Amino acid sequence: MVAAALDHPGLRLTAAELIALRPPPRAGRHRPASRRPGAVPARVAGQGMDLREIRAFAEGDDLRRIDPGATARTGQLHVRSFHEDRDDTTLLIADFRHAMLWGTGSALRSVRAARWLARIGWQAVARGASVALMAVGDGVPALLGAGTGAAQMQALASLMARAHDAALDLCPHRADLAPALAQARRMVPPGGQVHLATGPDGLAGAGADAALSRLARGRRMRVHLILDPAETVPPDTALSVSNGHATRHGRLSSLDPLPLIAHLRGLGAEAETVMPDDTG
């Protein structure tokens, strides 16, 4: 049971607010999957991660797929083409550990992480993908196997809200992400996507880097760094910190996420910062 003091918007996560993030249906004609004449709506081919061939450039090819090596050797433009994704599964990993259960803005960092992941989930089911959930707290992770459609997102929202309530109610202790990332490999097959919402220090801990690197192999791994207002626009005044025996005074400085983003990219993961205004 969540304490009454925490039963307020921004502190307690609700399934209703995550379901309300479902985007409205798009009106109008379906855009063709190809820019070439005569194209009909279909799944875009060649968006996977496995190289199929390197061939001569043809009108309508994506310039971003130009292969510089083959182009230099032949003197003619060549592009890479890829096999289709083997599996369109999206795994959402919500970090609800104790370090995420705080915030200086209108919502806890954990609540903002859940809102961000819910938007990604709704976008995934809109394109027909399967969506799964892993909510990581200081206890056993809450899991939801992959499924499709609005009903899956409603179930996901309910489980995420229950997992957040459980995280608020648990006694805090230091829990690393490495075991959860290892378990995540069994939930999303190669060719799928993994979205992890955590804080700037969320991947600190023994084995987290290695586990993240293994999870990223053959999958699109994206880490969403949920930033707090205290990290983006720290207060100008000096703050006091006391442990009951001694007191220190100091000022907060803005967080520079670029070294962490570069580090995550070196592990094979894409990374982005999520600013406070992005999630409400």
Side-chain angles (χ1 to χ4, degrees), residues 154-261:
Q154 291 167 359
L156 187 147
S158 297
L159 179 58
M160 202 171 335
R162 294 197 302 272
H164 193 265
D165 279 354
L168 292 175
D169 196 46
L170 281 176
C171 295
H173 70 275
R174 181 69 179 177
D176 293 331
L177 267 182
L181 295 178
Q183 186 176 6
R185 294 179 63 198
R186 299 190 290 271
M187 296 185 65
V188 55
Q193 300 186 25
V194 183
H195 293 268
L196 166 63
T198 186
D201 59 349
L203 288 162
D209 280 0
L212 181 70
S213 181
R214 286 192 293 269
L215 180 58
R217 292 173 191 164
R219 304 170 182 84
R220 183 185 180 189
M221 180 75 217
R222 192 167 186 89
V223 180
H224 307 269
L225 301 169
I226 311 297
L227 300 186
D228 186 80
E231 296 163 334
T232 58
V233 187
D236 294 330
T237 57
L239 302 176
S240 298
V241 179
S242 174
N243 63 0
H245 303 285
T247 301
R248 294 286 188 270
H249 300 276
R251 296 178 184 273
L252 298 178
S253 59
S254 298
L255 174 71
D256 179 9
L258 295 182
L260 176 57
I261 291 175

Side-chain angles (χ1 to χ4, degrees), residues 10-11 99-110 112 227-230:
L11 300 180
M100 293 287 289
L101 303 178
W102 71 280
T104 63
S106 60
L108 300 180
R109 197 198 297 262
S110 55
R112 294 178 46 238
L227 300 186
D228 186 80

Side-chain angles (χ1 to χ4, degrees), residues 93-181:
I93 304 179
D95 187 355
F96 290 161
R97 294 173 298 162
H98 185 68
M100 293 287 289
L101 303 178
W102 71 280
T104 63
S106 60
L108 300 180
R109 197 198 297 262
S110 55
V111 171
R112 294 178 46 238
R115 293 170 180 170
W116 188 256
L117 289 177
R119 290 187 176 96
I120 295 172
W122 281 116
Q123 292 169 3
V125 299
R127 69 171 186 269
S130 298
V131 181
L133 172 69
M134 171 182 285
V136 184
D138 290 324
V140 178
L143 306 176
L144 179 66
T148 59
Q152 173 72 0
M153 280 302 299
Q154 291 167 359
L156 187 147
S158 297
L159 179 58
M160 202 171 335
R162 294 197 302 272
H164 193 265
D165 279 354
L168 292 175
D169 196 46
L170 281 176
C171 295
H173 70 275
R174 181 69 179 177
D176 293 331
L177 267 182
L181 295 178

Side-chain angles (χ1 to χ4, degrees), residues 255-278:
L255 174 71
D256 179 9
L258 295 182
L260 176 57
I261 291 175
H263 175 71
L264 293 173
R265 287 175 178 168
L267 298 175
E270 303 174 40
E272 68 169 346
T273 56
V274 180
M275 307 301 284
D277 290 342
D278 293 336

